[in-house]
Amino acid sequence: MQRAPDPRITTGILALAAIALLIGGAFAGLLFEGGHDLSGAWAAFDPYLLRVVRFTLWQAVLSTLLSVVPALFVARAMSRHPRFFGRAFILQLFAVPLALPAIVAALGVLALYGRAGYFAGVLTVIGGGSWPGIYGLSGILVAHVFFNLPLATRLFLEALQTIPADQWRLASQLGMVARPAFRLIEWPTLRAALPGVAGLIFMLCITSFTIVLTLGGGPAATTLEVGIYQALRFDFDPARAVTLTLLQIVLTFIVVLALTRLGANVVGDTNLPVAQRRYLSVNRSESWLNAMLIALALLFVVGPMAATVTAGLSADLCRLAGEATVRQAALTSAVLALLSALLSVMLSLALTMARRALALKRRAGPRTMLEHVTDTGAGFVLVVPPIVIGAGWFLLLRHVGDVFAIAPVMVVTVNAVMAMPFALRAVRPAYDAASERHERLCAQLGIAGWNRLVLVDWPSLRRPLATAFAFAMALSLGDLGVIALFGSGSVQTLPYLLLARMGSYRTADAAGLALLLGLVCLALIVAAHWLGRERVRDA
């Protein structure tokens, strides 16, 4: 008697088909437009394009260096002092930039270092003339370091906490001081983690869209992704957009391939284990130096966040809350983020279940192609940034009808797929553990499909799914990549409205909207973190 096909595998195939349709449709739009105007696409290879590529790589290299090098010393300082008052709070603050939408952080940087920022007077005195502001390369670098210095610090600290306690005990018995301990114990671990961390930061910087769009300040500070946006929304030059998009895909693919070879964590998971005991004493001069390093890093990270809160509180929040445009944008953002998070969780769960079912069916021998795709297929979306998918569908749909009418569908689907790698990290371990406990019993009792999901798997998956849902919703709420292309007067999200208020120099309104958006996204990330901790505690 032939065994009925496992519904989990069927569901996973449908999820893969949906992802393939989204990414394949984008490539179809690019190829159709490029083939339709091949001469125009070839003519786009001009000095301006080369300048954009050069600036894209240059700002990513500088941002990586300015983020990673200080992070090495800050992480070592935190590692050398595993227990001091406020250490846990500092690490929590270092996680806040990961939750902030990029446009909110950009506004905080402008509130601090802009032409009318809080530090404008001091910077004018230091510069010996009027402070021109921080637009351009300097603003991009400051914003990137704000995001990536805390991330790199946490990743390096995580690497340092993997050093076995026996090595520290032996170093203490041998009477090692700080310098040889760093050279013989800490540096080999940091050096092993350095390529992966630097590669991850480089990828984040090379695919940065919102930061460059809001702080770039003109054609001289334009990256490939911003060039795609400008070619479609302002110049309407599809041939140039196709060329820029293909170059962006090539660059991102090379970086992700290098990251895979280096074993880097491409979704930036930074959960830190409990600090280990240290056996080496730290002298007073080193303690003061470490305290200064930690304090400087803390001030750099806290500054834009505090400026965002201060500027937001000084805005007329009551008037903003009463505006019909703001209420409509908030409602649109909430609905789209809710649908995006729901779709992301459904796709992630479908791939997780299919992967597990295929592994159990195989039992031994090499993995099949389908199992490999369900395992790594979601990671492919990291090669194709949201603006690239949006550009492909923008070019494809303009031949069919009104591009802007399809904006809600594009925002929901693209943001859902982009959040999948993060959602999978929350769902997959819990489902694998539940399957390990219940798989044989479910097979004996014939429990499968929806009944198994509700009666058997749901109690174990409730918290992980909630964690993935909250994280995906926060990412969707703060995203500007797709809505920047498809947004219009009739379809506006809070990030899109914030960008419009900044463009019309209504900085007070933009500050109030940034505070609202940042608090909502931060609350969702905190909820996701709390749910994840509760799940670990229950286990």
Side-chain angles (χ1 to χ4, degrees):
M1 182 176 179
Q2 188 175 5
R3 181 180 298 180
D6 195 323
R8 294 178 293 179
I9 299 177
T10 304
T11 306
I13 293 175
L14 292 176
L16 286 174
I19 299 171
L21 176 62
L22 180 67
I23 299 177
F27 278 101
L30 294 172
L31 294 176
F32 177 80
E33 194 66 39
H36 181 70
D37 190 7
L38 190 59
S39 60
W42 182 256
F45 285 93
D46 55 12
Y48 172 75
L49 179 62
L50 297 178
R51 187 165 65 248
V52 169
V53 174
R54 185 166 59 247
F55 181 80
T56 301
L57 296 173
W58 178 237
Q59 63 84 22
V61 169
L62 289 179
S63 299
T64 302
L65 289 175
L66 293 175
S67 301
V68 171
V69 174
L72 286 169
F73 297 98
V74 176
R76 180 182 180 273
M78 297 286 291
S79 176
R80 295 285 284 171
H81 301 276
R83 294 179 180 86
F84 63 85
F85 178 75
R87 185 180 189 272
F89 179 70
I90 292 174
L91 290 177
Q92 290 175 355
L93 281 178
F94 277 10
V96 170
L98 300 176
L100 284 180
I103 193 169
V104 175
L107 199 66
V109 170
L110 287 176
L112 272 185
Y113 308 107
R115 186 175 299 177
Y118 296 116
F119 290 163
V122 177
L123 294 171
T124 298
V125 174
I126 295 175
S130 61
W131 173 243
I134 200 170
Y135 285 105
L137 179 61
S138 57
I140 294 171
L141 295 179
V142 169
H144 280 168
V145 175
F146 165 77
F147 276 109
N148 298 322
L149 173 63
L151 173 61
T153 299
R154 290 172 64 89
L155 291 174
F156 282 132
L157 185 58
E158 182 180 5
L160 286 172
Q161 290 178 346
T162 62
I163 298 176
D166 292 343
Q167 293 189 16
W168 292 112
R169 188 180 297 108
L170 179 60
S172 176
Q173 294 172 352
L174 295 176
M176 278 191 185
V177 293
R179 184 172 296 179
F182 173 76
R183 181 170 57 88
L184 298 175
I185 299 177
E186 294 168 319
W187 174 240
T189 301
L190 291 173
R191 184 177 57 195
L194 181 59
V197 175
L200 172 62
I201 302 301
F202 185 81
M203 186 194 72
L204 294 175
C205 295
I206 207 173
T207 57
S208 176
F209 171 72
T210 305
I211 292 297
V212 182
L213 180 65
T214 53
L215 297 176
T222 298
T223 58
L224 286 170
E225 292 202 1
V226 175
I228 296 168
Y229 167 76
Q230 292 172 345
L232 291 178
R233 287 302 299 259
F234 295 108
D235 304 330
F236 197 71
D237 188 351
R240 181 175 293 276
V242 169
T243 304
L244 290 168
T245 303
L246 293 177
L247 284 174
Q248 178 68 42
I249 292 173
V250 170
L251 285 177
T252 312
F253 178 79
I254 293 173
V255 174
V256 172
L257 182 62
L259 283 174
T260 305
R261 292 293 183 89
L262 294 171
N265 177 10
V266 293
V267 295
D269 182 29
T270 56
N271 294 321
L272 294 171
V274 178
Q276 298 178 0
R277 181 183 175 187
R278 293 291 184 264
Y279 295 89
L280 295 183
S281 60
V282 182
N283 58 44
R284 180 172 297 181
S285 60
E286 185 185 358
S287 297
W288 279 105
L289 178 61
N290 291 337
M292 184 176 64
L293 287 172
I294 296 172
L296 289 175
L298 183 62
L299 289 175
F300 185 83
V301 173
V302 170
M305 293 189 289
T308 301
V309 174
T310 304
L313 292 176
S314 63
D316 192 349
L317 296 177
C318 294
R319 178 183 59 80
L320 281 176
E323 287 188 15
T325 305
V326 175
R327 292 202 303 268
Q328 183 60 41
L331 179 61
T332 302
S333 293
V335 172
L336 295 182
L338 187 69
L339 294 175
S340 177
L342 183 61
L343 180 59
S344 180
V345 168
M346 291 172 59
L347 292 174
S348 301
L349 182 59
L351 289 184
T352 298
M353 293 190 302
R355 167 186 166 273
R356 178 65 178 172
L358 289 168
L360 292 172
K361 184 179 180 181
R362 170 176 53 89
R363 296 188 181 277
R367 295 198 302 177
T368 63
M369 178 61 69
L370 182 58
E371 182 183 353
H372 181 73
V373 173
T374 56
D375 188 20
T376 61
F380 183 73
V381 302
L382 298 172
V383 182
V384 190
I387 192 70
V388 170
I389 298 179
W393 279 98
F394 189 97
L395 294 171
L396 184 65
L397 294 173
R398 76 185 186 94
H399 299 288
V400 178
D402 185 9
V403 173
F404 301 104
I406 202 69
V409 177
M410 293 307 305
V411 171
V412 168
T413 53
V414 174
N415 287 342
V417 172
M418 290 301 156
M420 281 182 58
F422 301 91
L424 282 169
R425 293 189 69 88
V427 175
R428 181 179 292 176
Y431 184 82
D432 288 348
S435 174
E436 191 72 29
R437 293 193 301 267
H438 305 138
E439 193 69 39
R440 182 175 298 177
L441 182 61
C442 288
Q444 292 174 350
L445 297 178
I447 303 176
W450 180 255
N451 290 331
R452 170 174 175 166
L453 180 62
V454 173
L455 299 176
V456 179
D457 295 329
W458 175 249
S460 300
L461 294 177
R462 186 173 60 246
R463 285 192 179 275
L465 288 174
T467 300
F469 183 88
F471 204 96
M473 190 170 179
L475 290 178
S476 182
L477 269 175
D479 181 72
L480 186 63
V482 181
I483 195 64
L485 277 178
F486 289 90
S488 61
S490 58
V491 181
Q492 298 186 80
T493 62
L494 279 178
Y496 187 87
L497 182 61
L498 201 164
L499 181 65
R501 296 290 171 92
M502 290 177 65
S504 59
Y505 299 102
R506 299 172 65 178
T507 54
D509 288 356
L513 293 173
L515 178 61
L516 173 63
L517 182 61
L519 289 177
V520 173
C521 291
L522 184 60
L524 286 170
I525 293 296
V526 169
H529 180 67
W530 177 79
L531 289 168
R533 291 187 62 181
E534 288 294 316
R535 175 168 58 87
V536 173
R537 190 179 305 161
D538 293 342

